[in-house]
């Protein structure tokens, strides 16, 4: 049995010259008109707009029903003398224009509450941000072990019920048997009536608020630190930069957007001081811990002056808006 073998020349003679390579037909996509400019919707612009409106309409309706409508109603309420009698018969409410705002400007209780709130925001806000940043740096350090455990421990006060926290802190602040005064006495310092002295009541509230809330900002700073390129630290370290120089010239500039976000939400939250003085001091002593929101609560739900309380709410809203704009302006002017 013979075997026939074919050489490459025989195959070339039989099949003829190889065909020229045929390039695959270029795939065209009706939705792509310019490959260099990315995808464009195949729907007409008007149809795309209707589709987008269809998807966002439910969210807009919910926001309108549960945010803008109540805000508009509260604004209208602030221009009336709506009180307890108007709750039974809304027809008895009278339009008083800006009278509530004029009375608010001459109310010494309001100015006392505004000073207390400003004290809480100016002192407690930066302190809370500083503690949050310090904790974030510690739990993000390469030298720290069990980072997940420490993050959980530091975040635990945020999700702890304020009433339970207040009970513990009232014992800590107790003038006779409190742990804090015992520690001061151990080093020869006379104890302080933390919650009974008007001069120390607000610092005591600030201490509780900072401890309660710093874990939330810490998580945001940890996320911001994770986004800082490690190469920057390595290059700076090779150039001989110390810890402070790396923190000042790398960490702080890279965290600028995080600082802005944390600063704004902290300021807004601290302007709304209510729960801490409500459960710790009930506004005392001598109204040293009455905040603007606490005053609004008293006017609205203790004395049932709902029109006046609505005016307090809108003044607070204006203050928070001004504070936010100032922070945004400072952030933009920062080189």
């Amino acid at each position: 049995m013979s075997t026939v073998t074919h050489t490459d020349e025989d195959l070339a003679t039989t099949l003829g010259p190889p065909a020229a390579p045929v390039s695959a037909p270029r795939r065209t996509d009706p939705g792509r008109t310019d490959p260099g400019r990315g995808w464009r919707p195949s729907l007409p612009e008007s149809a795309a707009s209707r589709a987008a409106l269809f998807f966002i309409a439910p969210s807009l309706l919910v926001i309108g029903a549960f945010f803008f409508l109540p805000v508009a109603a509260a604004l209208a309420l602030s221009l009336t003398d709506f009180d307890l009698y108007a709750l039974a018969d809304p027809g008895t409410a009278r339009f008083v224009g800006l009278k509530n705002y004029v009375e608010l400007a001459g109310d010494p209780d309001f100015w006392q509450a505004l000073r207390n709130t400003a004290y809480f925001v100016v002192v407690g806000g930066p302190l809370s941000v500083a503690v949050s940043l310090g904790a974030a740096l510690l739990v993000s350090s390469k030298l720290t072990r069990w980072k997940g455990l420490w993050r959980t421990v530091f975040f635990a006060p945020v999700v702890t019920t304020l009433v339970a926290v207040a009970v513990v802190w009232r014992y800590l602040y107790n003038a006779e048997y409190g742990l804090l005064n015992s520690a001061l006495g151990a080093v020869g310092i006379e104890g302080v009536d933390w919650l009974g002295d008007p001069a120390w009541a607000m610092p005591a509230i600030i201490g509780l608020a900072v401890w309660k809330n710093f874990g939330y900002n810490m998580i945001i700073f940890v996320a911001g630190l994770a986004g800082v390129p490690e190469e920057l630290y390595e290059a700076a370290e090779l150039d001989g930069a110390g810890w402070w120089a790396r923190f000042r010239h790398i960490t702080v500039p890279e965290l600028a957007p995080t600082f802005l976000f944390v600063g704004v939400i902290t300021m807004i939250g601290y302007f709304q001081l209510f729960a801490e003085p409500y459960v710790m001091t009930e506004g005392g002593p001598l109204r040293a811990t009455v905040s603007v929101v606490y005053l609004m609560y008293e006017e609205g739900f203790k004395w049932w002056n709902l029109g006046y309380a609505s005016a307090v709410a809108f003044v607070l809203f204006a203050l928070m808006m001004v504070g936010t704009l100032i922070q945004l302006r400072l952030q933009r002017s920062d080189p």
Side-chain angles (χ1 to χ4, degrees), residues 137-220:
L137 291 172
L138 288 176
V139 300
S140 301
S141 173
K142 296 179 180 177
L143 302 177
T144 302
R145 302 178 61 185
W146 308 315
K147 295 180 180 179
L149 173 64
W150 293 117
R151 290 173 186 171
T152 304
V153 170
F154 290 152
F155 190 75
V158 178
V159 294
T160 305
T161 305
L162 180 60
V163 176
V165 170
V167 171
V168 176
W169 277 75
R170 285 179 67 89
Y171 278 109
L172 292 177
Y173 283 143
N174 187 278
E176 297 183 7
Y177 310 106
L179 184 62
L180 199 53
N181 278 351
S182 299
L184 292 176
V187 295
I189 300 176
E190 186 178 357
V192 176
D193 188 1
W194 296 98
L195 300 179
D197 189 337
W200 286 102
M202 185 56 79
I205 295 294
I206 291 175
L208 167 62
V210 170
W211 177 84
K212 177 79 170 59
N213 301 312
F214 84 94
Y216 182 81
N217 290 338
M218 180 201 70
I219 295 299
I220 299 175

Side-chain angles (χ1 to χ4, degrees), residues 257-326:
T258 308
F259 272 113
L260 176 62
F261 177 75
V262 169
V264 170
I265 63 171
T266 301
M267 181 206 64
I268 293 175
Y270 273 56
F271 260 118
Q272 302 179 57
L273 171 65
F274 172 73
E276 288 84 355
Y278 181 75
V279 298
M280 293 287 287
T281 62
E282 296 183 350
L286 299 177
R287 302 186 70 77
T289 56
V290 170
S291 64
V292 175
V293 176
Y294 194 93
L295 177 66
M296 180 178 64
Y297 160 76
E298 285 187 331
E299 292 293 338
F301 299 101
K302 189 174 182 180
W303 311 118
W304 296 103
N305 295 324
L306 295 176
Y308 192 78
S310 298
V312 176
F314 273 90
V315 170
L316 179 63
F317 170 76
L319 292 174
M320 289 191 292
M321 181 65 72
V322 170
T324 302
L325 293 176
I326 290 175

Side-chain angles (χ1 to χ4, degrees), residues 109-126:
D109 279 349
F110 169 72
W111 291 107
Q112 173 71 34
L114 189 59
R115 283 194 295 272
N116 295 338
T117 303
Y119 180 16
F120 184 77
V121 173
V122 172
V123 177

